[in-house]
Amino acid sequence: MLLKKLIKNLPKEKKNIAVKGIAVDSRKIKKGFIFFAIRGFKSNGERFIKEAIEKGAIAIVCSKHCSFSHEAIPILKSTNIRHLLSEISSKFYKLKPKNIIAITGTNGKTSVTDLFYQILKNNNIPVATIGTLGLKYKGKVIKSKLTSPDTVTLHEALEKIKKEKIDNVLIEASSHGLHQKRIDHLNIKAGIFTNFSQDHLDYHKTMNSYFNSKMYLFKKILHKKKSIICDKSIKEFPKIKAIARRKKLYLIDIKDIKEKLTNTKDLSLNEFQLKNLSMAIIAAKICKVPDKKIFNSLNRLNDINGRLELVRIFPNNIKVFVDYAHTPDALIKTINALKSFHGKNITLVFGCGGDRDFKKRPLMAKIASLNCKKIFVTNDNPRNENPAKIRNEIIKNIKNKDCFDIGNRSKAIKRAIFKAEPNEIILVAGKGHEVEQIYKDKIIKISDKQIIKRLKLKIKKISEKKQNFLQNKKIFEEIVKGKNIKDFHGIAIDTRVIKKGNIFLTIKGKNSDGRRFIPKALQQGAKYIVSKKKINKYRNKLFKVDNELKFLNTFALKKRENSTAKIAAITGSAGKTSLKNLIRDLLKNFGKTISSPKSYNNHFGVPISLSNLKPNHKYGIFEVGMSKKGEINALTKLIKPDIGIITNIGEAHIENFKNLKGIANAKSEIIDNLKDNGTIILNRDDKYFNYLNKKAKSKNLKVISFGMNKKSDVYPLKILKRGKNNHMVFKISNEIFRLEFNNINIYNILASLSFLNELKLDLNKIIEYFKTYEASEGRGKIHKIKRHRKKFKLVDESYNANPLSVKNAIQNFSLIKKRNFKKYLLLGDMLELGAKSEYFHKNLSKVINNSDIDKVFIKGNKSLITYKNLTKIKRGNILQQDEDVDFILNDIIANNDYLMIKGSNATGLNNLSKKIIRGY
């Protein structure tokens, strides 16, 4: 190419000089090259002009302040040499791919770039990427030391890509590259902005200058009607929106794609992985890749080299990850991602680079100190700084007892793995994909990944039982400092359910003192006693604490923090125990599951349940009850649920509230303690759905609704009666399923399906389960009874009763379609309804009058109000004592009839029901 085609206003005799190349490095100059003598951050190219001319440069471009002159060689001076370099490079390497997309931001650029490459490659669409991992195309990787290559290399690479018939390329645009005009004069189709946080202040000096360098892509390079891909939730979004409006650019938020990915069953992603993949998908869509092809290829995506990459799993479930995180923001996001999937037992191996933003060091140290159990401070790339000095700057900001200073990176990684406990997560951060370490003028070949992969370490396999003990022991000794404890498994406060190896807590209740039961606890197999009173008789077995309940809560909280299980909490006025049991039984098809035993839903039951979490539990489902405001808040602070479920809002414990809205507000406390980006599952048919939904949305939680309402996320299309069972066709995540069920509450079925679908579990695996599923004792289980030479069915709903649960039980009873048999109801009092008790008992008669129940028998003074307001045809009899029931069974009930027993537990109907079932 002739020089006149590249540079204007040349002397006539210089215009037709043939240009064979461009270089900014005098060592790369050949005969016929133009040399750009640029004053850089560390060196001045003008010092090498003479060398360039000696090597054959036919023209020199330098700054207007350059004093060099030459009689034969044109010396062209520019006020903006980097911009001119970009313009000339663009002209010299004129072939360019059709779809060029540029990505900038502090973190995530390489991840988005790699995901974009994989999506197109998986669909056999020619694609290339240019960035931290080098120039990548057609399975080849040409490595680079810069995120954004120098201007000449970039334009040369783009022409090379075009000649390979590749029209889709994603370029990582670093702040250095943008500031140095390396990406000027490219026809960028779209720009992506990932995020913004502290980095590179050694170069940019201030955060404002750093941010403006990023914004150069949108302010100066993108042309009218091009696109910006961004996340609306980041705080810089309003500034980007203003730029887009001013420049008339299309602004694309990733929200819709993120939501679609969240509901994609084959994917399990943390928050920043969701963001990265969403951005890659939108970039692919801009390149005209069809949605169907994109989403069909997602299950074939591989881990990104050195980005939250699980390198190896050692025995005892010790997992070692490598990540490039080298900024405070990247480090905390990576740690949080590991926490969300693997728990808080995290060990960190990291350092900080020399000759770089030294202000990052205390920030990263504090992040490590607050979030990691053990920390190994090692060398990153010390460059020209003293490695020990860098490590000391980090260590002085770390408060952890378990902090180790090991300069040799290989030894630090090996030591961390060697000292690891079962289920520990080790994060080796800072270098990721890199395979070199820089010490002044010396470059060492080293790869974090290869060190981990090649490590020969004999780790003895520890049984799950031993793992649980080791975890329990560690937690116990953290709470009861200085005390050594041997083998124990779990905590109990009730000698009736104590197991061998348990710790027995001597809780003092309203009616009894746990200390009275110490002998029985030891006889039953309790290993130790924990009490706030020192008793010499048991001194070898007893550990003294200030407060037993505080000990229990602390132990439970630490067990929860160390658990990697997906944890859910269920509350509501009716049906929560039945739903908990249903979900527990369904989850057992997918992995080891723990749940609250019986109705362990109060300030004793919840921490006891949590205390028995084991390292190998995959799922946990816990019930949360309340009788007054604040109780659910306290309990869910312990549980820290990933998912919450509110079954409904009803009048249970209304005596402690002004109105039903007060109960809704108390139940909504579960929303306050869900994990960040957690999910709440709500009954859309409930009167307080909108109230609960609004509160959840204000907390940025995902809301899933179930119910009969067709606006629900999960709802039945049809419910039919065929033979003995009910048949339901339902819709969930735009898929249609069919199932059979017997005597299960429909709302519980829909809620359980919503829950399993949110966990991305295969619903086909459990659909058949509903066909034979039986409700729990006292909560709708149907028993076949033989009595007085008659065979009839007992629907046992005797565990508890409030207006909503009785209504639900009657509605469920109505699903049993009559075929030459009768339905009877034995109704007891509904308790804990306060001043409105008469109103609720009277109102219940309307529900019964509208049902297909034939006769109602009552036991209790309050239910007498219900009885008096029944239609005469539905009035059975008033029972004074349990023996009266036999008169019903003997004189009225016939073969194949149904009897449902419903009443609050304190009425004694639950014991009566048990007697009938056992044949007393």
Side-chain angles (χ1 to χ4, degrees), residues 723-780:
K724 292 182 179 180
N725 279 349
N726 299 291
H727 292 246
M728 180 164 69
V729 180
F730 65 94
K731 189 173 184 180
I732 186 166
S733 297
N734 295 318
E735 288 187 76
I736 305 295
F737 291 89
R738 290 171 174 79
L739 61 79
E740 282 184 62
F741 66 100
N742 193 359
N743 192 43
I744 318 175
N745 183 287
I746 291 175
Y747 283 96
N748 281 354
I749 294 174
L750 296 173
S752 67
L753 292 168
S754 304
F755 178 79
L756 264 64
N757 192 62
E758 175 60 10
L759 288 179
K760 299 179 181 177
L761 301 175
D762 183 4
L763 298 185
N764 290 302
K765 194 171 178 180
I766 48 87
I767 288 295
E768 288 295 312
Y769 190 80
F770 291 95
K771 197 177 193 176
T772 55
Y773 184 79
E774 290 188 349
S776 310
E777 298 284 348
R779 291 182 167 85

Side-chain angles (χ1 to χ4, degrees), residues 61-205:
V61 182
C62 58
S63 75
K64 65 177 182 177
H65 303 294
C66 180
S67 59
F68 190 89
S69 61
H70 198 282
E71 291 180 3
I73 304 296
I75 309 296
L76 308 166
K77 297 185 179 182
S78 171
T79 55
N80 194 338
I81 188 170
R82 292 185 185 277
H83 185 75
L84 180 61
L85 171 63
S86 175
E87 181 185 348
I88 290 174
S89 298
S90 184
K91 288 176 181 177
F92 188 80
Y93 300 104
K94 58 186 176 182
L95 294 178
K96 300 289 190 299
K98 181 182 175 183
N99 301 318
I100 302 175
I101 296 173
I103 181 168
T104 194
T106 306
N107 302 306
K109 298 186 293 295
T110 303
S111 295
V112 176
T113 302
D114 192 84
L115 290 166
F116 171 82
Y117 183 90
Q118 289 192 59
I119 290 169
L120 270 70
K121 184 175 178 288
N122 287 345
N123 284 292
N124 298 314
I125 297 169
V127 60
T129 55
I130 300 172
T132 306
L133 300 179
L135 168 59
K136 192 173 179 180
Y137 69 100
K138 291 188 176 181
K140 302 174 186 175
V141 180
I142 301 169
K143 293 188 177 179
S144 168
K145 290 187 177 180
L146 299 173
T147 297
S148 298
D150 68 77
T151 308
V152 179
T153 304
L154 176 62
H155 285 269
E156 185 181 12
L158 289 170
E159 182 164 272
K160 181 183 182 70
I161 289 165
K162 180 64 177 177
K163 286 178 179 178
E164 293 282 348
K165 297 181 180 178
I166 297 170
D167 265 323
N168 305 291
V169 61
L170 183 53
I171 301 170
E172 290 184 48
S174 68
S175 58
H176 294 70
L178 289 164
H179 183 254
Q180 294 171 11
K181 311 293 189 288
R182 297 180 205 164
I183 300 170
D184 286 19
H185 298 96
L186 288 180
N187 184 20
I188 307 287
K189 195 164 190 175
I192 304 173
F193 186 77
T194 59
N195 49 50
F196 182 71
S197 63
Q198 183 175 326
D199 200 10
H200 303 304
L201 294 191
D202 55 307
Y203 179 89
H204 296 287
K205 306 305 179 188

Side-chain angles (χ1 to χ4, degrees), residues 633-646:
N633 181 50
L635 296 176
T636 50
K637 275 183 177 175
L638 288 177
I639 298 172
K640 298 184 186 300
D642 300 289
I643 301 174
I645 306 174
I646 302 177

